[in-house]
Amino acid sequence: MISLSLIGAGRIGRIHAANVAARASSHGDIRLAGIADAIPQAAEELAARVGSKAVGLEEALEGGTSNAVLIASPTDTHAEFIERAANAGKAIMCEKPVDLDAGRIRKVLAAVEAKGVKLLVGFNRRFDPNFASLKARIKTGAVGDVELVTILSRDPAPPPVSYIERSGGLFRDMMVHDLDMARFLMGEDPVEVHAVGSALVDPAIGAAGDVDTAAVLLKTASGRIAQISNSRRATYGYDQRIEVHGSKGMLRAGNVHETTVELANGGGITADPVQNFFLERYEAAYRRELAAFIAVVKGEQATWPNGHDGLKAQILADAATASAKSSQPVKLSWS
Amino acid sequence: MISLSLIGAGRIGRIHAANVAARASSHGDIRLAGIADAIPQAAEELAARVGSKAVGLEEALEGGTSNAVLIASPTDTHAEFIERAANAGKAIMCEKPVDLDAGRIRKVLAAVEAKGVKLLVGFNRRFDPNFASLKARIKTGAVGDVELVTILSRDPAPPPVSYIERSGGLFRDMMVHDLDMARFLMGEDPVEVHAVGSALVDPAIGAAGDVDTAAVLLKTASGRIAQISNSRRATYGYDQRIEVHGSKGMLRAGNVHETTVELANGGGITADPVQNFFLERYEAAYRRELAAFIAVVKGEQATWPNGHDGLKAQILADAATASAKSSQPVKLSWS
Amino acid sequence: MISLSLIGAGRIGRIHAANVAARASSHGDIRLAGIADAIPQAAEELAARVGSKAVGLEEALEGGTSNAVLIASPTDTHAEFIERAANAGKAIMCEKPVDLDAGRIRKVLAAVEAKGVKLLVGFNRRFDPNFASLKARIKTGAVGDVELVTILSRDPAPPPVSYIERSGGLFRDMMVHDLDMARFLMGEDPVEVHAVGSALVDPAIGAAGDVDTAAVLLKTASGRIAQISNSRRATYGYDQRIEVHGSKGMLRAGNVHETTVELANGGGITADPVQNFFLERYEAAYRRELAAFIAVVKGEQATWPNGHDGLKAQILADAATASAKSSQPVKLSWS
Amino acid sequence: MISLSLIGAGRIGRIHAANVAARASSHGDIRLAGIADAIPQAAEELAARVGSKAVGLEEALEGGTSNAVLIASPTDTHAEFIERAANAGKAIMCEKPVDLDAGRIRKVLAAVEAKGVKLLVGFNRRFDPNFASLKARIKTGAVGDVELVTILSRDPAPPPVSYIERSGGLFRDMMVHDLDMARFLMGEDPVEVHAVGSALVDPAIGAAGDVDTAAVLLKTASGRIAQISNSRRATYGYDQRIEVHGSKGMLRAGNVHETTVELANGGGITADPVQNFFLERYEAAYRRELAAFIAVVKGEQATWPNGHDGLKAQILADAATASAKSSQPVKLSWS
């Protein structure tokens, strides 16, 4: 039985809390031991809703009532919380990123490894049923050797500039998901990163030193190529697509539309916009991520994606950030 | 607060129980007072899983611990259970059909009306988000006046002949859903029913006096036309589609595929089969049906679809059965 | 070398003339010997354009300059022209229908057979590359035994009532194509015809005694079922679709859109309307029909579709007309 | 009346000859004065087929029987032939590229301008009805300001290495089309070119110093971004797609499938492969290109795409070639 402490009662925390409660009722292999939040009232309200209790941060991270912790607090707390939970010997599931600084991540991973605890990093796209099915088919050899991967990710609308300023920039905040997916889908680490970026959606984003429209080219040592494009705006919904070309064919995963309804008239045949909200789009992914964490804690599967996946994605995001600024490619060696 | 008794701990009962439990946790406006089943152990196991308790049938239907009942027991028990719950003054949600005999349904409805209780009949397709969205757009006038409706419904595989023998036949067991949808989408009752049917999938179904492949033409007094086709077999999944033509255009609702992944190679571009299992395909419909029942009990919306909808669908299914047997159309008057 | 006389320099005649000219230049196995039209100037203009010459009707039908004739004149001239060309020993390609009266068709076929000439009837849908491919795959067993066929055909807009009045009615004028396709795709003749029809598009069509919205159910002796629906209106283009269900799967042929472009914005994702004009939609079909006629004349393939196909489609159209009027099915025996 | 000489009776020459013949018959505004080819028999056979005559190269390029010339001979002859035809005062349509060397193209353009003749360069994609429609909608503002363009082009199979060796490399031989389209769709010239390439399809291509899988990132002065990917292999047909993101939405043009038929069975729902051969895929484009040239010669529209478009595409292809070799971006200034 996993006794889980949840840190963070915000938007993502609430999703995880509901998923843990549903899993408890359907499988009985996990319980929500307590919920901690910097705003105690938020923890209390969420705990009341899902039949748990509010606890202090120390209890959640280091107390004896839980043997696992799910960290869904703000990004700048992740590194410290992981270290504290690791020191307390707890299994850890942490929302991405571990930290915005690769050096800091390395320290965290060292602590995690020193304590021998498990750390699953929440790259939700890996758990999306569509993308997971695509990857599974690559593994079966459906398209032969992977040669070219194209990933597109566009948010419906840009966040406030205040968010942008603390985000680490588009490459670290948003594209880091796609950089992780590129590694995951190619099965090989990129050694060359070319990035370009522009502030086309909102000049205020440019004024804040960031970009809102960007594209990256990655190349691996064996010559595999990945293309990624990102934008902070998509008028037709949250656009999330992947296309993988291999020696034997192509696999692609398309968008999820709001409904299957189409309207035909003189203007043409119109399908619904795609699901607009990431929590709706990745609803199943969050459930499957929790199931994976449970399986990891039970020892049924390897820790995946782990802290090293988090570190590598961060290094790629740093490289893309540098490349876009300098208009020069960044070379990487992973030895 | 609605205190609900659930009758039936089988496949559908378990879906409803899980939905009630989730609704209780997310909205707090309903609780599962007890679960009854002809097999007490089934009720106990389900109750343990969702945090309720097993009760006897009498308690569930007539006892004081609930003010509403959800009937998910075998078809031949529906009429009696509705009457008993009505006599006890409970609000009732009953899986379709009320009964396989229209005369019996009329008696049940009389009892329900005499007692002034609410009876929602579980035509799940009306609550499917795709079909509900299609209907909502008809109401907004997106396609003008409805002229021609085409409904296709194909099961992945035929049920055992033992089931067929007790089912009332394809038109009453399977097409009754589509006949209800045809009324619903045309907004008018058919007055002419032409049906044809064949046993092409399994000769044993023909030997049992039923058909497994069938089509119906409906015409309303104002001249609207509906086409329905059914089959007990679809190799590519559970095929559920609707197309509505009106004076200004066309609306259609397509199938839900297992994933959005497509594979392209020399054989072409292959999308996934469609979701194969009705409980998966109509998962959201069952949740929305429960929400509708709660709103009905709270008095927030009219009882819909109600017992008269159930009766009319049954009359249409009877007419289709007779038409297919006689190769003659059946005329209906609804006054 | 086929020397072909063309009768009719109207819309369809011009298509055929251009196709003959192109075929002459690409294959050199046919020449356009002359063009006749009731309006001599029309014949002259067309002849000048395609490098042929205008001739009189008698020369075209019975003269020595041609050994084949393509009849694209008004429907009420077809029967007489076929007989005259047959008497002159010419191979004949005639636009559908042979005649609107089945008895008259029988006489024509007797004359054709007595003279031993070849008569190909221009059911253009059989030659559409999409529908032909669908049929070819049925023949290879891709879907096993055919069980249910659904054919949808909707014109963009109704013709003038003056046309309707001379057309023989929707079933003979428009649905006759789909009735022919139903026979063709099922590989078996229907023995039971249920039809319903309404005048919903234009009340003047109803006042003229015809319908503009119609549906038919066909059943064969072995139990195969076909559904056909027709309308004289489709706001999104010329809607032409076929779906065939068999024991092993389903084949469908969809519409041809104006372009492959899609626009995505807040309103959804919009594909182009479908090709709006039958001459554009069936452009390739007319070319392939001519190629088939050439192969027939050369003796490379059987005459197909022939006069008996034309007769059977007409008998089915008559049956549908009668069924829709009487609200009774019509039984057919083909012995 | 345009009297056109055609140089080249190969694969592309035959397409143009047939299009000129059809245009002559349908519009009467052009005639094929003569056909020249290095293999006189090829010119004679083609001339016989389309009703023209074989002529010598000098007659075709400089003789008095034509006032326009269409150059469809091997790439390494284009520059000289354009100069000779320009000196003779003829209007010129030339297959891409003008030359593989940008310096040589500049000299040719100087000669063309000195003589004041018109030179249309045959970038066939600009004339594809789908891509042209997409561009037309950009112009109407359907997606607002263009921000990100993604172009994908994959050949069904690699050419022989002997072809590769004379081709100038993938970026000049194949991607030059997409580089032209990127300029065309963004409406702005790129100033930064990042390219990566690999030989993944055929090691012999790599041994010959070329790549068969490549991707390019382009950025314009105003910050617009284009992504292009190319491969010499696509198992599912000739893959040609474009996607354009703007401030108000997205436009995309998809592939053209062999037919509209889909097969559904336990393996899923399979659409046809896409058209496999570039002459079939761009059949309409070649017709529209000829019509554009005729309009240019008549003075009805500006010369488009012209020699400067050809030159700029070549400069971009050179930049991509250099970037892929050096793993460094290439900066361009167009002043």
Side-chain angles (χ1 to χ4, degrees):
Chain A
M1 169 68 80
I2 301 168
S3 283
L4 183 81
S5 298
L6 171 65
I7 321 280
R11 205 163 55 168
I12 298 274
R14 288 196 293 270
I15 296 291
H16 287 304
N19 288 343
V20 173
R23 172 83 187 199
S25 136
S26 66
H27 287 69
D29 52 5
I30 191 167
R31 58 181 285 275
L32 196 47
I35 302 175
D37 194 279
I39 305 167
Q41 194 186 340
E44 278 157 27
E45 283 175 10
L46 180 56
R49 175 169 288 183
V50 296
S52 183
K53 62 180 177 185
V55 297
L57 184 62
E58 195 174 319
E59 174 57 31
L61 284 173
E62 293 149 350
T65 56
S66 67
N67 52 17
V69 62
L70 196 166
I71 301 172
S73 50
T75 292
D76 57 9
T77 65
H78 289 185
E80 179 200 336
F81 290 179
I82 293 173
E83 287 171 338
R84 290 173 63 182
N87 285 334
K90 293 185 200 288
I92 305 160
M93 172 170 158
C94 182
E95 278 299 313
K96 74 92 199 167
V98 172
D99 196 86
L100 291 174
D101 180 81
R104 184 74 182 89
I105 297 176
R106 283 195 176 91
K107 279 190 203 161
V108 170
L109 300 191
V112 165
E113 270 157 43
K115 293 295 173 179
V117 298
K118 289 164 173 174
L119 167 61
L120 184 146
V121 178
F123 284 116
N124 57 3
R125 280 147 181 80
R126 292 197 184 204
F127 297 98
D128 173 69
N130 305 298
F131 298 155
S133 171
L134 187 151
K135 171 67 178 181
R137 296 184 219 193
I138 292 174
K139 279 189 178 169
T140 67
V143 294
D145 288 333
V146 171
E147 297 174 350
L148 185 74
V149 169
T150 302
I151 300 173
L152 176 151
S153 178
R154 300 177 69 94
D155 283 346
V161 171
S162 59
Y163 174 90
I164 295 281
E165 286 164 347
R166 292 175 292 105
S167 70
L170 178 142
F171 297 101
R172 291 189 187 93
D173 178 57
M174 181 175 176
M175 197 184 280
V176 67
H177 279 295
D178 308 303
L179 293 163
D180 176 63
M181 286 302 283
R183 285 185 62 235
F184 176 49
L185 295 170
M186 291 196 290
E188 190 182 1
D189 289 321
V191 295
E192 195 179 314
V193 180
H194 296 254
V196 297
S198 303
L200 301 175
V201 175
D202 184 352
I205 292 176
D210 198 6
V211 297
D212 50 37
T213 308
V216 164
L217 269 182
L218 306 173
K219 189 176 174 182
T220 69
S222 76
R224 292 189 176 99
I225 296 170
Q227 294 178 299
I228 300 171
S229 66
N230 276 188
S231 171
R232 292 287 194 183
R233 175 178 54 205
T235 57
Y236 49 91
Y238 182 41
D239 194 354
Q240 299 281 292
R241 284 177 282 156
I242 289 175
E243 185 166 312
V244 175
H245 293 270
S247 53
K248 294 184 180 169
M250 183 257 280
L251 280 164
R252 64 180 165 203
N255 280 314
V256 180
H257 293 253
E258 287 175 359
T259 75
T260 65
V261 177
E262 294 180 319
L263 171 65
N265 57 29
I269 290 86
T270 302
D272 270 8
V274 301
Q275 289 183 346
N276 202 50
F277 188 39
F278 81 96
L279 291 179
E280 182 187 18
R281 173 65 181 82
Y282 288 117
E283 183 188 19
Y286 285 113
R287 279 200 305 271
R288 299 176 82 246
E289 189 177 294
L290 178 66
F293 180 58
I294 292 170
V296 164
V297 176
K298 288 180 179 174
E300 295 168 359
Q301 64 182 53
T303 307
W304 176 94
N306 60 33
H308 294 282
D309 295 308
L311 175 61
K312 287 184 169 180
Q314 197 65 32
I315 289 170
L316 287 168
D318 290 345
T321 305
S323 174
K325 285 227 166 95
S326 66
S327 287
Q328 291 295 322
V330 172
K331 304 288 175 82
L332 296 170
S333 71
W334 298 96
S335 56
Chain B
M1 169 69 79
I2 300 168
S3 284
L4 183 81
S5 298
L6 171 65
I7 322 280
R11 205 161 58 168
I12 298 275
R14 287 195 294 270
I15 296 292
H16 288 304
N19 288 342
V20 173
R23 172 83 186 200
S25 135
S26 66
H27 287 69
D29 53 4
I30 190 166
R31 57 180 286 276
L32 195 48
I35 301 174
D37 194 280
I39 304 168
Q41 195 187 341
E44 278 157 27
E45 284 176 9
L46 180 57
R49 175 170 287 183
V50 296
S52 182
K53 61 179 177 187
V55 297
L57 184 63
E58 194 173 320
E59 175 58 32
L61 284 173
E62 292 149 352
T65 56
S66 68
N67 52 17
V69 63
L70 196 167
I71 300 171
S73 49
T75 292
D76 57 9
T77 65
H78 290 184
E80 179 201 334
F81 290 179
I82 293 172
E83 286 172 339
R84 289 173 63 181
N87 284 335
K90 293 184 201 290
I92 305 160
M93 173 170 158
C94 184
E95 279 298 313
K96 73 94 197 165
V98 173
D99 197 85
L100 291 175
D101 180 81
R104 185 73 182 89
I105 297 176
R106 283 196 175 90
K107 278 191 204 161
V108 170
L109 299 191
V112 165
E113 271 157 41
K115 293 294 172 180
V117 297
K118 288 162 174 175
L119 168 62
L120 183 145
V121 177
F123 283 116
N124 57 1
R125 280 148 182 80
R126 292 196 184 203
F127 297 98
D128 174 70
N130 305 298
F131 298 155
S133 171
L134 186 152
K135 172 68 179 181
R137 296 184 219 192
I138 292 175
K139 279 190 176 168
T140 66
V143 293
D145 289 332
V146 171
E147 295 174 351
L148 184 74
V149 170
T150 301
I151 301 172
L152 176 150
S153 178
R154 301 176 69 94
D155 284 346
V161 172
S162 60
Y163 174 89
I164 295 280
E165 285 165 346
R166 291 174 294 106
S167 70
L170 178 142
F171 297 102
R172 291 189 187 94
D173 178 58
M174 181 175 176
M175 197 183 281
V176 67
H177 279 294
D178 308 303
L179 293 163
D180 177 63
M181 287 301 285
R183 287 185 60 234
F184 175 50
L185 294 170
M186 291 196 292
E188 190 182 1
D189 289 321
V191 295
E192 195 178 314
V193 181
H194 296 254
V196 297
S198 304
L200 301 175
V201 175
D202 183 353
I205 292 176
D210 198 6
V211 297
D212 51 36
T213 309
V216 164
L217 269 182
L218 306 173
K219 190 176 173 182
T220 70
S222 76
R224 291 188 178 99
I225 296 169
Q227 294 179 299
I228 300 170
S229 66
N230 275 187
S231 170
R232 292 287 193 182
R233 177 179 53 206
T235 56
Y236 48 91
Y238 182 40
D239 194 355
Q240 300 280 293
R241 284 177 282 155
I242 289 175
E243 185 165 314
V244 175
H245 292 270
S247 52
K248 293 183 181 169
M250 183 257 281
L251 280 164
R252 64 181 166 202
N255 279 315
V256 180
H257 292 254
E258 287 175 358
T259 76
T260 65
V261 177
E262 292 179 319
L263 171 66
N265 57 30
I269 291 87
T270 302
D272 269 8
V274 301
Q275 289 184 345
N276 201 48
F277 188 37
F278 80 97
L279 290 179
E280 183 187 18
R281 173 64 181 83
Y282 288 117
E283 182 187 17
Y286 286 112
R287 279 202 303 272
R288 299 176 81 247
E289 189 177 294
L290 178 67
F293 179 59
I294 292 169
V296 164
V297 175
K298 288 181 179 173
E300 294 168 0
Q301 64 182 53
T303 308
W304 175 94
N306 60 32
H308 293 283
D309 294 308
L311 176 61
K312 287 184 170 180
Q314 196 66 31
I315 289 170
L316 287 167
D318 290 345
T321 305
S323 174
K325 284 224 167 96
S326 66
S327 287
Q328 291 296 322
V330 172
K331 304 289 176 80
L332 295 170
S333 72
W334 298 96
S335 58
Chain C
M1 169 68 80
I2 299 168
S3 283
L4 183 82
S5 299
L6 170 65
I7 323 280
R11 206 162 54 167
I12 298 274
R14 287 195 294 270
I15 296 291
H16 287 304
N19 288 343
V20 173
R23 173 81 186 200
S25 134
S26 66
H27 286 68
D29 54 5
I30 192 167
R31 58 180 285 274
L32 196 47
I35 302 174
D37 194 280
I39 304 169
Q41 195 187 339
E44 278 158 26
E45 284 175 9
L46 180 57
R49 176 169 288 184
V50 295
S52 182
K53 62 180 177 186
V55 297
L57 183 63
E58 195 174 320
E59 174 57 30
L61 284 173
E62 292 149 351
T65 56
S66 68
N67 52 16
V69 63
L70 196 168
I71 301 172
S73 50
T75 292
D76 56 9
T77 65
H78 290 185
E80 180 200 335
F81 290 180
I82 293 173
E83 286 171 339
R84 289 174 64 182
N87 284 335
K90 293 184 201 289
I92 305 160
M93 173 170 158
C94 183
E95 279 298 314
K96 73 90 198 169
V98 173
D99 196 85
L100 291 175
D101 180 82
R104 184 73 181 89
I105 297 175
R106 284 196 175 89
K107 278 190 204 161
V108 170
L109 299 191
V112 165
E113 272 158 41
K115 292 295 172 181
V117 298
K118 289 164 173 175
L119 167 62
L120 183 146
V121 177
F123 284 116
N124 56 3
R125 280 148 182 78
R126 291 197 185 204
F127 297 98
D128 174 69
N130 305 298
F131 298 155
S133 170
L134 186 151
K135 172 67 179 181
R137 296 184 220 193
I138 292 175
K139 279 189 177 170
T140 66
V143 292
D145 290 332
V146 171
E147 296 174 351
L148 184 74
V149 170
T150 301
I151 301 173
L152 176 150
S153 178
R154 300 177 69 95
D155 285 345
V161 171
S162 60
Y163 173 89
I164 296 280
E165 285 165 346
R166 291 175 293 107
S167 70
L170 177 142
F171 297 102
R172 291 189 187 94
D173 177 58
M174 180 176 177
M175 197 184 280
V176 67
H177 279 294
D178 309 303
L179 293 163
D180 176 62
M181 287 301 284
R183 286 185 61 233
F184 176 51
L185 294 170
M186 291 196 292
E188 190 182 2
D189 289 319
V191 295
E192 195 178 313
V193 180
H194 296 254
V196 298
S198 303
L200 300 174
V201 175
D202 183 354
I205 291 176
D210 198 7
V211 298
D212 50 36
T213 308
V216 164
L217 269 183
L218 306 173
K219 190 177 173 182
T220 69
S222 76
R224 292 188 177 100
I225 296 170
Q227 295 179 299
I228 301 170
S229 65
N230 277 187
S231 171
R232 292 287 193 182
R233 177 179 53 205
T235 57
Y236 48 91
Y238 182 41
D239 195 354
Q240 301 280 293
R241 283 177 282 156
I242 289 175
E243 185 165 313
V244 175
H245 292 270
S247 52
K248 293 184 181 169
M250 184 256 281
L251 280 164
R252 64 180 166 204
N255 280 314
V256 180
H257 292 253
E258 287 175 358
T259 75
T260 65
V261 177
E262 293 180 319
L263 171 65
N265 57 29
I269 290 87
T270 302
D272 270 8
V274 300
Q275 289 183 346
N276 202 48
F277 188 38
F278 80 96
L279 291 179
E280 183 187 16
R281 173 64 181 81
Y282 287 117
E283 183 188 18
Y286 285 113
R287 279 200 304 271
R288 299 176 82 247
E289 189 177 293
L290 178 67
F293 180 58
I294 291 169
V296 164
V297 175
K298 288 180 179 175
E300 294 168 1
Q301 65 182 53
T303 307
W304 175 93
N306 60 32
H308 293 283
D309 294 309
L311 175 61
K312 287 184 169 179
Q314 197 65 31
I315 289 170
L316 287 168
D318 290 345
T321 305
S323 173
K325 285 225 166 95
S326 67
S327 288
Q328 291 296 322
V330 172
K331 304 288 175 80
L332 295 170
S333 71
W334 298 97
S335 59
Chain D
M1 169 70 78
I2 300 167
S3 283
L4 182 82
S5 298
L6 170 65
I7 321 280
R11 204 161 58 167
I12 298 274
R14 287 196 294 270
I15 296 291
H16 287 305
N19 288 343
V20 173
R23 173 81 186 201
S25 136
S26 66
H27 287 68
D29 53 4
I30 190 168
R31 56 182 285 276
L32 196 48
I35 303 174
D37 194 279
I39 305 169
Q41 195 186 340
E44 277 158 27
E45 283 175 9
L46 180 56
R49 176 170 287 183
V50 296
S52 183
K53 62 180 176 184
V55 297
L57 183 63
E58 193 174 322
E59 174 58 32
L61 284 174
E62 293 149 351
T65 55
S66 67
N67 52 17
V69 62
L70 196 167
I71 301 171
S73 49
T75 292
D76 57 9
T77 66
H78 290 186
E80 178 200 335
F81 290 178
I82 292 173
E83 287 171 339
R84 288 173 63 181
N87 284 334
K90 294 184 201 289
I92 305 160
M93 173 171 159
C94 183
E95 279 298 314
K96 73 95 199 165
V98 172
D99 196 86
L100 290 175
D101 180 82
R104 183 74 180 89
I105 297 176
R106 283 196 176 89
K107 280 191 202 161
V108 171
L109 299 190
V112 165
E113 270 157 43
K115 293 294 171 180
V117 298
K118 289 163 174 175
L119 168 62
L120 183 146
V121 177
F123 284 116
N124 57 2
R125 281 149 181 78
R126 291 196 185 204
F127 296 98
D128 174 68
N130 305 298
F131 298 156
S133 171
L134 186 152
K135 171 68 177 181
R137 296 184 221 193
I138 291 174
K139 279 190 177 167
T140 66
V143 293
D145 289 332
V146 171
E147 296 173 351
L148 184 74
V149 170
T150 302
I151 301 174
L152 176 150
S153 179
R154 300 176 69 93
D155 284 345
V161 171
S162 59
Y163 174 89
I164 295 280
E165 286 165 345
R166 290 175 294 105
S167 70
L170 179 143
F171 297 102
R172 292 189 187 93
D173 177 58
M174 181 175 176
M175 197 183 280
V176 67
H177 279 293
D178 309 302
L179 293 163
D180 177 63
M181 287 301 284
R183 286 185 60 235
F184 176 49
L185 295 170
M186 291 195 292
E188 190 182 1
D189 288 321
V191 295
E192 194 178 315
V193 180
H194 296 253
V196 296
S198 304
L200 301 175
V201 174
D202 183 354
I205 292 177
D210 197 7
V211 297
D212 50 37
T213 309
V216 163
L217 268 183
L218 306 173
K219 189 176 173 181
T220 69
S222 75
R224 292 188 177 100
I225 296 169
Q227 294 178 299
I228 300 171
S229 66
N230 276 188
S231 171
R232 292 286 194 182
R233 176 178 53 206
T235 58
Y236 48 91
Y238 182 41
D239 195 354
Q240 300 281 294
R241 284 177 282 155
I242 289 174
E243 185 165 313
V244 175
H245 292 270
S247 53
K248 294 183 180 169
M250 183 257 281
L251 279 165
R252 64 180 165 203
N255 280 314
V256 180
H257 293 253
E258 288 175 358
T259 75
T260 65
V261 177
E262 294 180 319
L263 171 66
N265 56 31
I269 290 85
T270 302
D272 269 8
V274 301
Q275 290 184 345
N276 202 49
F277 189 38
F278 79 96
L279 291 178
E280 182 186 18
R281 173 64 182 82
Y282 288 118
E283 182 188 17
Y286 286 112
R287 279 200 305 272
R288 299 176 82 245
E289 190 177 293
L290 178 67
F293 180 58
I294 292 169
V296 164
V297 176
K298 288 181 179 173
E300 293 168 1
Q301 65 182 52
T303 307
W304 176 94
N306 60 31
H308 293 283
D309 294 309
L311 176 61
K312 286 185 170 180
Q314 197 64 31
I315 290 170
L316 288 167
D318 290 345
T321 305
S323 174
K325 284 224 168 95
S326 66
S327 287
Q328 290 296 322
V330 172
K331 303 289 176 81
L332 296 169
S333 71
W334 298 97
S335 56

